[in-house]
Amino acid sequence: MADYRELWKSLDMDLEKHDKLCEVLPEFYEDVYLSQKNRPEGMNYYNFVISEVHGLRIKELDDHKQNGGKVLGTFCVFVPDEIIFSADAIGVGLCGGSDFWVPDGEKVLPRNICPLIKASVGAKISGTCPYFQSADMLVGETTCDGKKKAWEILNDYTPIHVMDLPQMKRENDKKHWKDEIKLFMDKVEELTGNKITEERLNNAIKLINRKRRVLQRLYNTRKADKLPISGKDALLITQIAFYDDLERFIQKTEELCDELERRIEKGVGVFPENTPRILVTGTPMAIPNWKIHHLIETSGGSVVCEETCTGTRYFENTVKENNKTLDEQIDALTDRYLNINCACFTPNEGRIDDIIRLYKEYNADGVIYNTLSFCHTYSVEYKKVKEALDKEGIPVMMIESDYSLQDSGQIKTRLEAFFEML
Ligand code: BJ8
């Protein structure tokens, strides 16, 4: 990797602590990813992205800022990237997925909240995440209580704009969300000094739809009898989609899909025949949280789909294109985004329908319901999901876990018993 120390210094990072983070990641990546057999050639691009995760992309963000551009950090798939990109700003997903950041998060947060929140806050206050350090503004949202209150803490470090997300989907909630998108637009225009015009927004909608479509194409390859790609690799690609350069990501992922489709034609798979096919549903897996996928795929299973925000919830629906007026475009954004079925909503029947539909579409054998520790919305919602899956005769097992590897052995034993039963 090139020397980025001067760049990191200019971002006011804690270099000593950051060195420690850089020491552990390559070994971890090698264990989890490079140990896989028969990986598609196209995965080399994503290996490269990871090897440069705090380097090249940060340099690109820095170049953008040197040219007067802005960088915005987001934490939820409800924040419309189209608004950010149409003002010539760059949006990056900032959710923390590493145990490394949890102790710093616990300095300012209670211990008994979700690790994603602790890691995100810890990443900022430890000064070891160059993406956080590059952000001119953060965008929060009123989803779960833990996140909502964490924004007040993060605001002491970087200005944050909070979008008030309704928790129901009635007509007046739609109106409210539309107003929130407009307020966000004003804020982004003020920050960047760029006017969001019909043409610019239309172009951004098309660009981000292209990203969604290539992810749909990737996921479609996972419906094949012989899986051309592991669940771990597919998860990695979705995680990278949150911060990579859009055009490059789309091109590289199209190329990978060409290869995967050729594999399907030839009947090349990455797992032995009759490996149980698992649909994972639940809380998002922020990079580098690969724990559950790794455990599933080293315990005799394969992951065929994720009903998560680092899975189908991120790209399943596209925004209607070619609306004439700005107002119609904002309506299209409102409709698309309020269609996401997050457990923060009540009721949230749509998610149950999605899980059953995806289970069938991907020809899965069982469902792993994964929730991060202390995530109330997803853990409470399990009861309703389980009842519905039981009715359909779909086997399901719940795993509640954090980022530490202490419970790995125990989870592995439970997974093996579950797969045996399928
Ligand atoms: S749309 S899932 S990205 S809110 S932080 S809710 S794990 S306790 S992330 Fe989310 Fe948007 Fe919904 Fe998706 Fe639970 Fe943790 Fe809260 Fe979390």
Side-chain angles (χ1 to χ4, degrees):
M1 186 157 86
D3 191 359
Y4 295 107
R5 291 186 87 78
E6 283 308 312
L7 174 60
W8 293 333
K9 222 189 269 172
S10 74
L11 291 171
D12 202 19
M13 289 178 62
D14 181 337
L15 292 189
E16 226 169 276
K17 204 168 206 174
H18 184 245
D19 283 346
K20 290 199 184 115
L21 179 60
C22 294
E23 266 166 36
V24 288
L25 191 66
E27 204 182 314
F28 184 41
Y29 188 72
E30 202 170 315
D31 280 356
V32 177
Y33 276 96
L34 304 181
S35 59
Q36 296 180 99
K37 291 206 179 76
N38 199 14
R39 286 178 93 205
E41 280 282 309
M43 286 312 296
N44 284 334
Y45 171 68
Y46 309 93
N47 289 341
F48 167 74
V49 172
I50 291 294
S51 71
E52 284 283 339
V53 68
H54 284 185
L56 183 66
R57 185 67 185 135
I58 298 301
K59 173 84 178 65
E60 288 173 352
L61 296 182
D62 190 60
D63 291 345
H64 171 73
K65 284 161 71 98
Q66 299 291 343
N67 291 327
K70 299 289 179 195
V71 174
L72 278 79
T74 62
F75 303 87
C76 176
V77 297
F78 269 96
V79 174
D81 276 343
E82 290 85 350
I83 301 293
I84 300 173
F85 284 89
S86 62
D88 284 338
I90 296 178
V92 286
L94 287 182
C95 289
S98 169
D99 212 27
F100 182 87
W101 289 312
V102 169
D104 280 299
E106 285 178 350
K107 287 181 187 160
V108 293
L109 292 164
R111 292 191 67 191
N112 56 347
I113 63 163
C114 135
L116 188 149
I117 301 173
K118 286 192 278 193
S120 303
V121 172
K124 177 64 211 175
I125 68 172
S126 62
T128 52
C129 173
Y131 291 91
F132 254 108
Q133 301 305 102
S134 302
D136 298 288
M137 186 174 90
L138 306 176
V139 192
E141 40 11 88
T142 53
T143 44
C144 66
D145 289 351
K147 273 196 189 178
K148 203 156 55 190
K149 299 308 287 180
W151 310 142
E152 295 166 23
I153 297 173
L154 282 176
N155 193 37
D156 290 340
Y157 298 84
T158 310
I160 185 157
H161 173 82
V162 180
M163 297 185 77
D164 183 21
L165 184 72
Q167 318 254 292
M168 294 177 81
K169 293 178 181 177
R170 300 159 304 187
E171 266 319 297
N172 55 336
D173 297 312
K174 260 192 195 168
K175 274 190 211 130
H176 179 67
W177 186 235
K178 183 177 176 185
D179 284 343
E180 283 297 308
I181 294 180
K182 284 189 195 154
L183 279 175
F184 180 48
M185 237 167 112
D186 293 344
K187 190 75 201 175
V188 172
E189 286 185 337
E190 184 193 307
L191 178 80
T192 58
N194 295 332
K195 187 100 196 102
I196 298 176
T197 60
E198 277 140 37
E199 198 193 343
R200 283 176 153 185
L201 187 53
N202 203 21
N203 289 341
I205 288 174
K206 285 184 178 161
L207 177 61
I208 291 166
N209 275 349
R210 280 175 52 218
K211 169 160 90 169
R212 293 188 181 114
R213 288 197 193 100
V214 75
L215 287 167
Q216 289 168 5
R217 185 178 168 206
L218 169 71
Y219 270 54
N220 276 334
T221 68
R222 303 170 75 192
K223 294 176 182 167
D225 278 348
K226 289 193 177 165
L227 276 178
I229 182 166
S230 68
K232 265 192 299 199
D233 278 334
L235 171 66
L236 178 71
I237 296 168
T238 320
Q239 289 171 333
I240 287 174
F242 280 83
Y243 63 89
D244 199 9
D245 174 78
L246 279 170
E247 286 290 358
R248 184 176 55 213
F249 175 84
I250 294 168
Q251 191 207 323
K252 291 293 173 188
T253 309
E254 295 285 9
E255 284 169 20
L256 174 74
C257 288
D258 291 341
E259 182 187 352
L260 299 182
E261 285 162 9
R262 280 196 302 272
R263 279 188 162 202
I264 294 172
E265 268 171 36
K266 289 190 196 139
V268 178
V270 287
F271 293 105
E273 249 172 270
N274 299 323
T275 301
R277 299 168 65 94
I278 301 300
L279 168 71
V280 171
T281 178
T283 47
M285 296 167 174
I287 201 164
N289 176 13
W290 305 307
K291 179 173 169 179
I292 298 299
H293 277 53
H294 185 55
L295 287 172
I296 292 174
E297 296 192 337
T298 51
S299 306
S302 61
V303 181
V304 289
C305 180
E306 298 82 18
E307 190 281 320
T308 66
C309 287
T310 40
T312 55
R313 290 202 291 267
Y314 183 46
F315 58 77
E316 265 218 316
N317 306 312
T318 50
V319 179
K320 195 167 163 274
E321 297 178 10
N322 296 325
N323 288 292
K324 292 216 171 56
T325 66
L326 213 45
D327 196 61
E328 283 170 354
Q329 288 172 342
I330 299 168
D331 275 334
L333 288 173
T334 308
D335 285 346
R336 188 267 163 193
Y337 280 88
L338 266 195
N339 235 335
I340 301 169
N341 296 317
C342 170
C344 294
F345 283 80
T346 185
N348 194 30
E349 300 286 326
R351 179 165 168 241
I352 295 176
D353 298 342
D354 287 344
I355 296 170
I356 296 172
R357 173 178 55 80
L358 293 167
Y359 175 86
K360 292 178 181 161
E361 275 179 20
Y362 286 80
N363 202 12
D365 300 307
V367 174
I368 297 291
Y369 193 107
N370 171 54
T371 144
L372 287 169
S373 320
F374 306 111
C375 174
H376 299 318
T377 52
Y378 280 89
S379 58
V380 173
E381 197 160 280
Y382 178 63
K383 182 172 187 294
K384 289 275 164 199
V385 172
K386 168 127 177 64
E387 278 169 8
L389 296 188
D390 283 352
K391 233 186 238 165
E392 294 278 325
I394 299 175
V396 55
M397 183 174 98
M398 172 153 174
I399 297 175
E400 186 170 345
S401 182
D402 59 14
Y403 292 164
S404 81
L405 299 178
Q406 275 165 7
D407 55 359
S408 296
Q410 195 197 347
I411 295 175
K412 223 170 173 331
T413 311
R414 289 184 61 211
L415 284 170
E416 281 162 2
F418 182 65
F419 297 155
E420 208 132 285
M421 204 192 78
L422 297 178

